[in-house]
Amino acid sequence: MSATILVVEDEPGIQELLKLNLGQQGHSVLIAGDAEEAAHVLRGAMPDLILLDWMLPGQSGVDLARRIRADARLKDIPIIMLTARAEERDKVLGLETGADDYITKPFSPKELMARIKAVLRRRAPQMTEDAVEIAGLRLDPVSHRVYGRDQPLSLGPTEFRLLHFFMTHPERVYSRSQLLDQVWGDHVFVEERTVDVHIRRLRSALEPSGHDGLIQTVRGAGYRLSAN
Amino acid sequence: MSATILVVEDEPGIQELLKLNLGQQGHSVLIAGDAEEAAHVLRGAMPDLILLDWMLPGQSGVDLARRIRADARLKDIPIIMLTARAEERDKVLGLETGADDYITKPFSPKELMARIKAVLRRRAPQMTEDAVEIAGLRLDPVSHRVYGRDQPLSLGPTEFRLLHFFMTHPERVYSRSQLLDQVWGDHVFVEERTVDVHIRRLRSALEPSGHDGLIQTVRGAGYRLSAN
DNA sequence: CCGGCGTGTCACGAAAACGTCACGAAAACG
DNA sequence: CGTTTTCGTGACGTTTTCGTGACACGCCGG
């Protein structure tokens, strides 16, 4: 798995360190020393991942992240934040601006590489317009219909999006907050327990064809759709 | 096996020698000429190993080692001391300050590389999102599932985290307090004996596939997961 | 205006998980 | 061989987590 990675970092030492390690993993590396340079690079290239320092000369990393998320062409590029402080507030704020992960300095290259791998892999499955079918349950995004063993099922809008997300990401556990991000939208103010209720509603909607039970509860972790 | 290594050494000749040899082994090298520079580098990066000269201009290597050991984030980085004198007292003192190994100048590059390899092998691997498999026991963090010989096993949240930690750190003994730090979290107030109970629960959860016995008791030391 | 419909939140109870203790067995010690 | 330490285990009370029914609110078409 090799990718093009943009590094936005002003300290030459860290620049070198990242360039070396990323190069060793077979990734192509683009370097920018500040937000302006980064913006310039992004006009010409579209990296698969952005490593973004929290503290930058001039414009801060957070602002840059916001601008990237606001850009229609760039908004889907995963961002990993590099932060000097481990303060919880910073972490949360970083994630709220759309960063996919963060790591605090000093960091071990090993850990960073693992996160990069994880983030790149996480992006793999996408919700598309294609119909999905699992265990005799078929969902068609275009006609906005769900069939359980050729029997039409009736779902509400939220239940539909929830099921669509699960069916395009099977065999994976998602926490309530992850589901809120993915199904409700990134920055909604909704109680986490609300997910429970919609899971229940989805389950009862799937019951007529016996496809409830597809959605399993994983205690202490979240929910999962599994063919078993 | 490639790692990031910080070299703290003031003689340019030795610097070059180390850089060459380490680079040939596929390691990334960070260089610092004195303790101050080293501290600066450590603010941003977290190497997998530190090669530390005993004698440094200004602050001595021993002081630096002490400071590293006192830093919560850096204290687990292995340190190898480079010393000019072969006196036993110095050796002991060096080890007492937290060095994992030492080597006396002049040294043969071959010997140094051997020691580095040994120290790095001891280093604990990381927990990632990758599935782990040992002796027919498979744990997948993504789907949050555990299979023993293709038979699904049912674990509670704590048992799952405990097993995950053990499987990513096999063949190594961990004390109860270490396990509390790693699995429960750094700052929890819990009795150490609680670990015993969870070990028992984990063992019984693994029993259906005969994978209890993977977790062994080391009297007076702690617990260990071993493939035997 | 009113009556579904979709939605978010709450309260309650059941079930699971958790932490702690007491007791006895096993090992280590002298 | 008796004492002491360490560990396994069953039991118990408490806390956490989850499922579920109920309700209030906004929206929209009749």
Side-chain angles (χ1 to χ4, degrees):
Chain A
M1 172 169 51
S2 89
T4 303
I5 298 178
L6 170 62
V7 173
V8 190
E9 163 68 58
D10 58 322
E11 288 180 53
I14 312 267
Q15 270 188 22
E16 270 312 304
L17 176 69
L18 291 174
K19 205 154 90 182
L20 244 112
N21 278 282
L22 291 171
Q24 254 175 0
Q25 297 285 322
H27 300 300
S28 307
V29 184
L30 305 171
I31 300 271
D34 54 40
E36 204 162 335
E37 270 187 51
H40 182 258
V41 170
L42 285 172
R43 267 193 288 278
M46 183 145 125
D48 302 301
L49 174 72
I50 299 178
L51 275 181
L52 183 51
D53 193 355
W54 176 270
M55 294 295 294
L56 287 174
Q59 193 188 28
S60 89
V62 190
D63 286 334
L64 180 56
R66 277 212 191 87
R67 270 175 44 195
I68 291 171
R69 284 287 176 259
D71 188 319
R73 193 175 62 94
L74 305 173
K75 71 177 169 52
D76 285 330
I77 302 178
I79 297 176
I80 296 182
M81 280 278 191
L82 299 174
T83 96
R85 304 262 188 118
E87 294 176 23
E88 197 64 26
R89 266 202 336 213
D90 291 5
K91 290 181 185 176
V92 172
L93 194 54
L95 290 175
E96 272 179 356
T97 61
D100 293 74
D101 204 349
Y102 61 88
I103 190 165
T104 60
K105 296 191 208 174
F107 57 84
S108 108
K110 281 251 172 359
E111 186 182 350
L112 179 59
M113 295 307 142
R115 302 235 181 160
I116 287 175
K117 219 168 113 186
V119 167
L120 286 179
R121 189 175 32 205
R122 207 177 305 156
R123 286 279 157 159
Q126 292 283 350
M127 300 213 305
T128 66
E129 295 300 309
D130 299 326
V132 208
E133 175 158 3
I134 290 182
L137 184 68
R138 203 163 66 84
L139 179 145
D140 184 7
V142 180
S143 66
H144 210 270
R145 285 211 166 95
V146 179
Y147 299 91
R149 295 191 203 295
D150 299 331
Q151 161 190 12
L153 298 174
S154 159
L155 307 203
T158 306
E159 294 153 30
F160 186 87
R161 288 202 313 278
L162 187 57
L163 180 60
H164 189 198
F165 177 76
F166 269 129
M167 292 189 72
T168 47
H169 302 79
E171 299 296 336
R172 275 187 79 116
V173 175
Y174 290 94
S175 70
R176 291 171 176 73
S177 80
Q178 283 178 312
L179 289 172
L180 283 179
D181 283 355
Q182 299 286 338
V183 178
W184 272 253
D186 275 341
H187 319 309
V188 262
F189 161 63
V190 170
E191 288 292 322
E192 287 202 349
R193 290 303 306 278
T194 300
V195 176
D196 296 32
V197 181
H198 282 271
I199 289 280
R200 184 175 66 80
R201 285 168 182 163
L202 175 55
R203 275 172 177 161
S204 21
L206 295 180
E207 201 165 355
S209 68
H211 280 99
D212 69 313
L214 263 186
I215 288 141
Q216 307 170 344
T217 304
V218 182
R219 270 207 175 236
Y223 295 95
R224 168 185 57 202
L225 183 144
S226 170
N228 303 329
Chain B
M1 173 170 49
S2 92
T4 303
I5 298 178
L6 170 63
V7 173
V8 189
E9 165 65 58
D10 58 321
E11 292 179 50
I14 313 260
Q15 271 189 21
E16 270 314 304
L17 177 66
L18 291 174
K19 204 154 93 180
L20 224 88
N21 279 282
L22 293 171
Q24 248 173 4
Q25 298 283 323
H27 301 300
S28 307
V29 184
L30 305 170
I31 300 273
D34 55 39
E36 204 162 337
E37 269 188 53
H40 181 258
V41 170
L42 286 172
R43 267 194 288 277
M46 185 145 92
D48 303 301
L49 173 71
I50 299 178
L51 275 181
L52 184 52
D53 194 356
W54 178 268
M55 294 296 292
L56 286 174
Q59 194 189 28
S60 90
V62 189
D63 285 334
L64 180 57
R66 275 212 193 87
R67 270 176 44 195
I68 290 170
R69 285 287 176 258
D71 188 317
R73 276 197 270 196
L74 306 173
K75 70 178 165 53
D76 288 328
I77 302 178
I79 297 176
I80 296 182
M81 281 277 191
L82 298 173
T83 141
R85 311 186 215 164
E87 296 174 22
E88 196 65 26
R89 263 203 338 213
D90 291 5
K91 290 181 186 176
V92 173
L93 193 53
L95 290 175
E96 274 178 356
T97 60
D100 293 75
D101 204 349
Y102 61 88
I103 189 166
T104 60
K105 296 193 226 176
F107 54 84
S108 95
K110 207 184 284 268
E111 184 185 354
L112 180 59
M113 294 307 142
R115 303 240 179 158
I116 287 176
K117 224 166 115 183
V119 168
L120 285 181
R121 195 170 28 219
R122 262 182 269 156
R123 171 197 47 146
Q126 309 256 354
M127 292 209 279
T128 67
E129 290 191 5
D130 297 321
V132 208
E133 175 157 6
I134 291 182
L137 184 67
R138 203 164 68 83
L139 180 146
D140 182 8
V142 174
S143 66
H144 211 272
R145 280 187 144 128
V146 180
Y147 298 93
R149 293 188 206 297
D150 298 331
Q151 161 190 11
L153 299 175
S154 162
L155 305 189
T158 306
E159 295 153 28
F160 188 88
R161 288 201 312 277
L162 188 57
L163 179 62
H164 190 199
F165 176 77
F166 270 128
M167 292 190 72
T168 47
H169 303 80
E171 304 296 340
R172 197 175 152 156
V173 180
Y174 290 94
S175 70
R176 291 170 176 73
S177 83
Q178 281 177 313
L179 289 172
L180 283 179
D181 282 355
Q182 299 285 337
V183 178
W184 272 253
D186 279 336
H187 28 52
V188 261
F189 162 63
V190 172
E191 288 292 322
E192 286 202 351
R193 289 302 307 278
T194 301
V195 176
D196 296 32
V197 181
H198 281 271
I199 289 281
R200 183 177 69 78
R201 286 170 181 161
L202 176 55
R203 276 171 176 161
S204 23
L206 261 38
E207 201 166 353
S209 68
H211 280 98
D212 67 314
L214 262 187
I215 288 142
Q216 307 170 343
T217 305
V218 182
R219 223 159 228 274
Y223 296 94
R224 168 184 56 201
L225 183 144
S226 172
N228 303 328

